[in-house]
Amino acid sequence: MPHDVPLQETRGAAAVRDDRRAGGWRLEHSYTTLPPLLFSRVTPTPVRAPHLVIFNTALAQALGLDAVALNSSDGASVFAGNSLPYGADPIAQAYAGHQFGGFTTLGDGRAILLGEQITPEGRRVDVQLKGPGLTPYSRRGDGRAALGPMLREFIISEAMHGLGIPTSRSLAVVATGEPVYRERTLAGAVLTRVAASHIRVGTFEWAGAHRDTAALTALADYTRQRHYPELADHPEPHLALFDAIVERQAQLIARWQLVGFIHGVMNTDNMAVSGETLDYGPCAFMDRYDPLTVFSSIDQQGRYSYGNQPAIGQWNLARLAEAMLPLFDAVQERAIELATASLDRYAERFQQHWLDGMRAKLGLFAAEADDAALVDDLLAWMERAGADFTNTFRDLSSPEARSSDEAFRTWESRWLARRQRQPQTEEDVRARMDAHNPAVIARNHKVEGALAAATERGDLSPLERLLSALSRPFDRTRDLTEFAPPTATDVPYRTFCGT
Ligand code: AMP
Ligand code: MG
């Protein structure tokens, strides 16, 4: 029967397609419609012996991926770059950046974008491998990543997500079975990162540095459509885009400050224009309150210290403005005027988000004129007393846990008087504080302990316990003594360049 043949063939092809589709991949490639200046096609370099160290089942499900099929040796192969998921079109993205103040051309030297997964809700998110081998932008690097830093990114990004702070996510870490050579020989790994996109301030700087206005315009239009669709009909679309990026950064950095998060390398190539936290290197959460806290050993000047983050945010946005200038107005003076006006709003927007957040942490509802002074005085006390940032706020909900220090008591009576002036009940106040003051954060000594257990002993249980605690940071109903601040015997954390 002649019609059997094509029918069989069709069935066979469908079966193959189903097989390749296994995993739930729905990858699209809008970025590759941009001018070729902005990316290069590449393929991951296979590794010797991939095995999954950690897999984020909840995230996989949220992405519409088949968590069961991917939590396997097949998944390890995909997340190592040894086999490509169905529909992948891998590229490395080009970008430049200001690193510690100096301009450099960069690009994904050790990252490969597989494509954009369309989630069941219709969201478009980048799926990127970090550490999958050389790209045209690798310069003198090896294109690889080490297991410890990739697990660190996994922990901290998931902790930020748990706190409700916009961030890239971590889907999987695969050990490659190959060494990487840093100060020491380390186990190699690949992280699968998921982000709204990987378009950075540095991506605009790249187009700007090439004086390629067509590419710059295409990038701006693309960014606006992808991340700021509400600006579609704006009469000044490029300026409106810049304004919106400024607003999201002001909000994001305020959120960092409110939980004591220190990014560590806020170079312009690590600032995502989507408003998500991106590129976790020598990042950490502060224990004792000290605005000068830094964690990166190469940050000698404290450029990226906790207290300097808001100002560096604005500095980075000024670099974005410079790159975008040709889009704002054909007359350069006019373009500069417009950009400056927008940039000048950053400080006020940051202060607004920060103060609103601080009010919530103190259980305050409406604004009063002296609120900023009330917050500043609490922080000044914390700094003098060497008080733990997270726990000082957390303990505001529990009168018996608060400090008995005399200076604190003076501040406390002002705060209580301030609370008396608002109509909300004690329960309302406590609920507001509890929803904004985490009971647990990813403290360095716990992160380091979990990484040491995983990388030195192959023991993942401390990492899993930590991740589980961090997934619900505002839940106080558990025993959290294990995650208390470090004691004198805990070694202070500093990362060295080799992230
Ligand atoms: P980072 O400090 O991780 O944000 O990286 C800054 C730049 O250096 C980016 O362009 C990275 O892709 C690149 N890079 C970092 N580590 C490596 C590596 N091991 N191999 C190649 N490029 C790297
Ligand atoms: Mg980076």
Side-chain angles (χ1 to χ4, degrees):
M1 288 177 279
H3 68 266
D4 271 1
V5 177
L7 229 150
Q8 289 247 325
E9 266 183 13
T10 310
R11 250 204 320 269
V16 169
R17 198 161 55 239
D18 282 352
D19 211 43
R20 289 165 68 202
R21 271 186 201 277
W25 295 101
R26 250 189 94 190
L27 293 172
E28 289 188 2
H29 307 281
S30 62
Y31 202 79
T32 55
T33 64
L34 287 169
L37 172 72
L38 296 169
F39 63 92
S40 300
R41 286 213 159 68
V42 285
T43 39
T45 307
V47 299
R48 194 183 302 150
H51 83 265
L52 266 175
V53 177
I54 188 157
F55 179 71
N56 193 336
T57 300
L59 176 58
Q61 287 166 345
L63 296 175
L65 297 174
D66 182 341
V68 176
L70 289 172
N71 194 357
S72 66
S73 56
D74 285 352
S77 171
V78 168
F79 298 126
N82 282 21
S83 56
L84 290 176
Y86 178 78
D89 182 10
I91 61 166
Q93 291 176 317
Y95 50 87
H98 277 82
Q99 301 191 307
F100 292 91
F103 180 82
T104 333
T105 56
L106 298 160
D108 285 332
R110 54 156 174 183
I112 293 180
L113 180 66
L114 297 176
E116 302 139 19
Q117 172 77 357
I118 308 301
T119 73
E121 294 156 349
R123 280 202 319 132
R124 175 184 300 272
V125 293
D126 277 9
V127 179
Q128 188 203 63
L129 303 179
K130 185 169 177 180
L134 294 174
T135 76
Y137 313 109
S138 296
R139 296 174 292 158
R140 284 185 299 279
D142 59 1
R144 294 295 182 190
L147 180 58
M150 295 306 100
L151 290 175
R152 167 173 280 276
E153 173 155 348
F154 194 112
I155 297 170
I156 309 286
S157 61
E158 290 305 299
M160 293 290 268
H161 174 72
L163 289 164
I165 298 176
T167 177
S168 65
R169 303 285 308 274
S170 298
L171 180 60
V173 174
V174 169
T176 59
E178 293 178 4
V180 294
Y181 304 99
R182 301 291 184 259
E183 290 84 5
R184 291 186 292 140
T185 301
L186 300 168
V190 179
L191 168 76
T192 303
R193 178 156 77 178
V194 175
S197 84
H198 288 81
I199 306 169
R200 307 143 191 270
V201 167
T203 316
F204 283 82
E205 291 181 275
W206 170 269
H210 283 84
R211 308 211 172 275
D212 187 334
T213 309
L216 188 62
T217 307
L219 178 65
D221 288 341
Y222 177 87
T223 302
R224 194 178 62 252
Q225 284 154 18
R226 185 160 172 186
H227 298 303
Y228 301 89
E230 66 278 10
L231 303 178
D233 301 318
H234 202 284
E236 295 283 356
H238 299 310
L239 202 58
L241 171 64
F242 180 66
D243 251 339
I245 295 172
V246 168
E247 167 62 22
R248 275 196 207 168
Q249 284 302 327
Q251 191 165 0
L252 178 67
I253 297 174
R255 303 285 306 269
W256 292 357
Q257 301 303 98
L258 291 166
V259 296
F261 172 74
I262 301 168
H263 183 287
V265 246
M266 282 180 72
N267 293 328
T268 55
D269 50 298
N270 291 336
M271 190 185 260
V273 295
S274 66
E276 284 185 345
T277 312
L278 189 70
D279 250 6
Y280 293 86
C283 58
F285 288 83
M286 177 171 62
D287 292 307
R288 291 156 64 125
Y289 177 73
D290 177 358
L292 299 179
T293 309
V294 285
F295 290 107
S296 170
S297 61
I298 56 172
D299 189 4
Q300 306 280 332
Q301 317 295 319
R303 179 180 174 90
Y304 298 141
S305 66
Y306 172 78
N308 222 26
Q309 293 188 128
I312 285 294
Q314 186 170 23
W315 192 90
N316 288 350
L317 291 164
R319 306 290 79 74
L320 177 62
E322 282 167 6
M324 291 179 78
L325 274 186
L327 303 179
F328 296 154
D329 201 285
V331 181
Q332 202 188 33
E333 289 68 41
R334 178 73 189 135
I336 292 173
E337 231 174 80
L338 292 166
T340 308
S342 179
L343 202 55
D344 282 350
R345 286 192 286 277
Y346 168 88
E348 178 203 314
R349 297 305 302 144
F350 168 81
Q351 179 67 15
Q352 180 76 52
H353 289 298
W354 180 82
L355 192 53
D356 284 349
M358 278 293 178
R359 282 194 189 97
K361 288 173 83 68
L362 295 181
L364 306 177
F365 288 79
E368 279 191 18
D370 291 342
D371 290 345
L374 187 69
V375 175
D376 287 345
D377 292 347
L378 175 62
L379 295 176
W381 172 79
M382 277 189 212
E383 188 175 355
R384 278 198 310 277
D388 185 79
F389 181 77
T390 301
N391 287 6
T392 301
F393 282 106
R394 183 198 66 184
D395 293 344
L396 291 178
S397 307
S398 323
E400 69 290 347
R402 291 184 211 140
S403 170
S404 54
D405 177 273
E406 201 180 318
F408 178 80
R409 292 290 178 183
T410 308
W411 178 85
E412 185 187 33
S413 46
R414 267 167 71 203
W415 171 58
L416 291 172
R418 167 73 175 80
R419 280 175 53 180
Q420 291 296 312
R421 291 197 292 275
Q422 52 183 18
Q424 283 79 11
T425 65
E426 284 293 305
E427 289 71 45
D428 290 341
V429 170
R430 178 187 280 258
R432 185 160 172 81
M433 290 196 286
D434 289 358
H436 289 87
N437 294 319
V440 56
I441 54 158
R443 294 188 186 276
N444 300 319
H445 66 294
K446 297 306 292 182
V447 174
E448 288 294 297
L451 295 183
T455 58
E456 290 161 23
R457 303 190 289 283
D459 175 8
L460 289 170
S461 52
L463 183 85
E464 279 159 5
R465 265 207 316 284
L466 183 60
L467 284 170
S468 159
L470 296 171
S471 69
R472 293 176 293 131
F474 298 102
D475 176 1
R476 301 172 178 225
T477 63
R478 306 157 290 171
D479 178 10
L480 295 167
T481 44
E482 171 183 6
F483 305 103
T487 60
T489 56
D490 290 306
V491 190
Y493 159 75
R494 276 241 144 167
T495 57
F496 293 87
C497 308
T499 56

Short mmCIF file of all heavy atoms in Angstrom, two decimals, residues 95 99 106-108 110 130 193 200 263 265 267 269-271 278-280, ligand 2:
data_model
loop_
_atom_site.label_atom_id
_atom_site.label_comp_id
_atom_site.label_asym_id
_atom_site.label_seq_id
_atom_site.Cartn_x
_atom_site.Cartn_y
_atom_site.Cartn_z
N TYR A 95 29.93 43.13 24.00
CA TYR A 95 29.71 44.32 24.82
C TYR A 95 31.04 44.92 25.22
O TYR A 95 32.09 44.29 25.06
CB TYR A 95 28.83 44.05 26.04
CG TYR A 95 29.22 42.87 26.91
CD1 TYR A 95 30.15 43.01 27.94
CD2 TYR A 95 28.63 41.62 26.72
CE1 TYR A 95 30.47 41.94 28.76
CE2 TYR A 95 28.96 40.54 27.53
CZ TYR A 95 29.89 40.71 28.55
OH TYR A 95 30.22 39.65 29.34
N GLN A 99 35.41 49.03 33.57
CA GLN A 99 35.79 48.18 34.69
C GLN A 99 36.65 48.99 35.64
O GLN A 99 37.72 49.46 35.23
CB GLN A 99 36.56 46.96 34.19
CG GLN A 99 35.75 46.11 33.21
CD GLN A 99 36.39 44.77 32.94
OE1 GLN A 99 37.56 44.70 32.57
NE2 GLN A 99 35.63 43.70 33.12
N LEU A 106 34.82 44.04 25.68
CA LEU A 106 34.74 42.75 26.35
C LEU A 106 33.94 41.76 25.50
O LEU A 106 34.42 41.33 24.46
CB LEU A 106 34.08 42.91 27.72
CG LEU A 106 34.80 43.82 28.73
CD1 LEU A 106 33.86 44.29 29.81
CD2 LEU A 106 35.96 43.05 29.33
N GLY A 107 32.74 41.46 25.91
CA GLY A 107 31.92 40.44 25.26
C GLY A 107 31.89 39.20 26.12
O GLY A 107 32.66 39.06 27.08
N ASP A 108 30.99 38.28 25.77
CA ASP A 108 30.88 37.03 26.52
C ASP A 108 32.14 36.20 26.30
O ASP A 108 32.25 35.45 25.34
CB ASP A 108 29.67 36.21 26.02
CG ASP A 108 28.35 36.77 26.49
OD1 ASP A 108 28.30 37.41 27.56
OD2 ASP A 108 27.33 36.54 25.79
N ARG A 110 33.17 33.94 28.41
CA ARG A 110 32.95 32.59 28.91
C ARG A 110 31.46 32.35 29.15
O ARG A 110 31.05 31.76 30.16
CB ARG A 110 33.73 32.34 30.18
CG ARG A 110 33.48 33.36 31.27
CD ARG A 110 33.78 32.77 32.61
NE ARG A 110 33.68 33.80 33.63
CZ ARG A 110 33.95 33.57 34.90
NH1 ARG A 110 34.33 32.37 35.27
NH2 ARG A 110 33.82 34.51 35.78
N LYS A 130 27.23 29.58 31.45
CA LYS A 130 28.39 30.36 31.90
C LYS A 130 29.52 29.38 32.18
O LYS A 130 29.40 28.54 33.07
CB LYS A 130 28.01 31.15 33.16
CG LYS A 130 29.08 32.10 33.67
CD LYS A 130 28.52 33.03 34.75
CE LYS A 130 29.60 33.93 35.32
NZ LYS A 130 29.06 34.83 36.37
N ARG A 193 22.29 29.96 33.46
CA ARG A 193 21.71 31.18 34.02
C ARG A 193 20.49 31.57 33.20
O ARG A 193 20.49 31.47 31.98
CB ARG A 193 22.79 32.26 33.95
CG ARG A 193 22.37 33.60 34.43
CD ARG A 193 23.56 34.39 34.88
NE ARG A 193 24.31 34.93 33.75
CZ ARG A 193 25.39 35.71 33.92
NH1 ARG A 193 25.84 35.99 35.13
NH2 ARG A 193 26.03 36.19 32.88
N ARG A 200 23.34 44.75 28.64
CA ARG A 200 24.00 45.50 29.72
C ARG A 200 24.18 46.95 29.31
O ARG A 200 24.12 47.28 28.11
CB ARG A 200 25.39 44.88 29.97
CG ARG A 200 25.35 43.39 30.21
CD ARG A 200 26.57 42.67 29.57
NE ARG A 200 26.39 41.22 29.58
CZ ARG A 200 26.78 40.43 30.56
NH1 ARG A 200 27.41 40.91 31.59
NH2 ARG A 200 26.55 39.13 30.51
N HIS A 263 27.15 44.00 45.66
CA HIS A 263 27.37 43.32 44.38
C HIS A 263 28.85 43.00 44.17
O HIS A 263 29.19 41.92 43.70
CB HIS A 263 26.83 44.20 43.24
CG HIS A 263 26.95 43.57 41.89
ND1 HIS A 263 28.17 43.44 41.24
CD2 HIS A 263 26.04 43.02 41.07
CE1 HIS A 263 27.97 42.83 40.08
NE2 HIS A 263 26.68 42.57 39.94
N VAL A 265 31.23 43.94 42.04
CA VAL A 265 31.85 44.43 40.79
C VAL A 265 30.80 45.09 39.92
O VAL A 265 30.39 44.56 38.91
CB VAL A 265 32.51 43.34 39.90
CG1 VAL A 265 34.00 43.50 39.81
CG2 VAL A 265 32.08 41.96 40.26
N ASN A 267 30.77 46.99 37.59
CA ASN A 267 31.25 47.54 36.33
C ASN A 267 30.05 47.67 35.38
O ASN A 267 29.05 46.96 35.54
CB ASN A 267 32.31 46.61 35.73
CG ASN A 267 33.57 46.58 36.59
OD1 ASN A 267 33.91 47.58 37.21
ND2 ASN A 267 34.24 45.45 36.62
N ASP A 269 29.58 46.63 32.54
CA ASP A 269 29.25 45.39 31.82
C ASP A 269 28.48 44.42 32.72
O ASP A 269 27.99 43.39 32.24
CB ASP A 269 30.52 44.71 31.29
CG ASP A 269 31.59 44.56 32.35
OD1 ASP A 269 32.05 45.60 32.86
OD2 ASP A 269 31.94 43.42 32.69
N ASN A 270 28.38 44.73 34.00
CA ASN A 270 27.63 43.86 34.90
C ASN A 270 26.30 44.48 35.33
O ASN A 270 25.67 44.01 36.25
CB ASN A 270 28.46 43.54 36.15
CG ASN A 270 29.64 42.64 35.81
OD1 ASN A 270 29.62 41.92 34.81
ND2 ASN A 270 30.68 42.69 36.62
N MET A 271 25.89 45.55 34.65
CA MET A 271 24.63 46.20 34.98
C MET A 271 23.63 45.95 33.87
O MET A 271 23.81 46.42 32.74
CB MET A 271 24.85 47.70 35.20
CG MET A 271 23.62 48.38 35.77
SD MET A 271 23.85 50.18 35.89
CE MET A 271 24.23 50.33 37.61
N LEU A 278 22.65 41.27 38.01
CA LEU A 278 23.31 40.36 37.08
C LEU A 278 24.77 40.18 37.45
O LEU A 278 25.40 41.10 37.96
CB LEU A 278 23.22 40.94 35.65
CG LEU A 278 23.67 40.03 34.52
CD1 LEU A 278 22.69 38.88 34.32
CD2 LEU A 278 23.80 40.81 33.22
N ASP A 279 25.28 39.01 37.18
CA ASP A 279 26.71 38.69 37.29
C ASP A 279 27.22 38.73 38.74
O ASP A 279 27.80 39.70 39.20
CB ASP A 279 27.53 39.65 36.42
CG ASP A 279 28.11 38.89 35.23
OD1 ASP A 279 27.76 37.70 35.09
OD2 ASP A 279 28.89 39.46 34.47
N TYR A 280 26.99 37.62 39.40
CA TYR A 280 27.41 37.49 40.79
C TYR A 280 28.86 37.01 40.84
O TYR A 280 29.15 35.89 40.47
CB TYR A 280 26.50 36.50 41.50
CG TYR A 280 25.07 37.01 41.64
CD1 TYR A 280 24.14 36.82 40.63
CD2 TYR A 280 24.69 37.71 42.76
CE1 TYR A 280 22.84 37.29 40.76
CE2 TYR A 280 23.40 38.18 42.91
CZ TYR A 280 22.48 37.97 41.90
OH TYR A 280 21.21 38.45 42.03
MG MG B 2 30.43 40.19 33.83
#
